[in-house]
Amino acid sequence: MAGFNVRSVLVTGANRGIGLELVKQFLEKSNPPEWVFSTCRDPEGERAQQLKNLASRHPNLAIVALEATDPASIKAAATRVEEHLKSSGLNLLINNAGIVRPSTLESETSEDMSLVYATNVTGPLLVSQAFLPLLKKAAQGSPQPGLSCSKAAIVNMSSEGGSITNPFAWQFGQVVSYRCSKAALNMLTKCQSLGYEGDGILSIAVHPGWVQTDMGSTGSHQAPLTVDVSVQGILNVLSTLSKKDNGTFVNWEGKVLPW
């Protein structure tokens, strides 16, 4: 990861779990970004305390309010980030915010299907749209050829649970709305790769593994992967991505996964 120099990164859903660990590990790098933007619904709330603790020690960390299902909130967040960046663009957007609702085929509801889709699919779409001008600016201002996460990239945090070929961990939880949302997020990623490659922006979907987080717990079954190991792997993978990886679906170890 030595050559992985990102001038600016934004992580949504950054007040817990994988999002919080991504922020921590970016800040702890020997060559940290000039700006790390961490978004959450309520930066003043109790759930953002760990972020606030980090911000008190890291002047390059900015906590930004962003509700992924609220277009006005997303637009306001993009304006705030642009003010911080001044004349430069945003290099790396990590759409990490997501929700899961326990369900089976028999118990799934229209309300949960709609809510999970709005957060896990429409959210990343709207966030990417709002930050696209800043991503384009970063790509245009970069001397780097090709595509990379150091230049300009959208990383959508997906799940192998949304793989149609290999529906990961079905026996541990059906979570139908979540699986459907991640299959749709994978298609969004493919669409973004086709639409934004000409602008110099890389797009990829990443499965972080089955991680020991609030979202990763399934009753009596313990997730095998710690959040720090998962995020170390993710950052290693991001550092190696290039044009050949645009529009693919990979896991935290860099393995290409089936759609």
Side-chain angles (χ1 to χ4, degrees), residues 66-78 122 126-127 129-130:
L66 190 155
E67 166 54 70
T69 60
D70 180 357
S73 170
I74 294 169
K75 186 176 180 182
T122 310
L126 297 179
V127 170
Q129 287 175 340

Side-chain angles (χ1 to χ4, degrees), residues 57-161:
R57 302 195 304 273
H58 297 277
N60 57 332
L61 172 60
I63 307 173
V64 180
L66 190 155
E67 166 54 70
T69 60
D70 180 357
S73 170
I74 294 169
K75 186 176 180 182
T79 299
R80 176 140 183 246
V81 169
E82 186 174 20
E83 289 168 357
H84 278 285
L85 290 171
K86 297 183 171 63
S87 61
S88 59
L90 177 69
N91 297 106
L92 181 56
L93 169 61
I94 302 180
N95 283 311
N96 169 74
I99 59 170
V100 63
R101 291 287 184 269
S103 67
T104 64
L105 281 167
E106 286 74 23
S107 69
E108 189 61 82
T109 65
S110 62
E111 290 82 8
D112 277 354
M113 286 292 288
S114 298
L115 177 63
V116 172
Y117 192 93
T119 305
N120 294 2
V121 189
T122 310
L125 169 68
L126 297 179
V127 170
S128 299
Q129 287 175 340
F131 287 95
L132 181 61
L134 290 174
L135 289 163
K136 285 182 176 180
K137 186 183 282 190
Q140 289 162 2
S142 172
Q144 299 178 39
L147 302 177
S148 72
C149 287
S150 299
K151 182 179 181 178
I154 298 169
V155 175
N156 292 322
M157 208 58 70
S158 186
S159 169
E160 197 174 5

Side-chain angles (χ1 to χ4, degrees), residues 30 37-38 82 93 104 108 115 124 180 196 213-214 221-222:
S30 59
F37 299 101
S38 57
E82 186 174 20
L93 169 61
T104 64
E108 189 61 82
L115 177 63
C180 291
Y196 299 152
T213 63
D214 292 344
H221 300 286
Q222 174 72 27

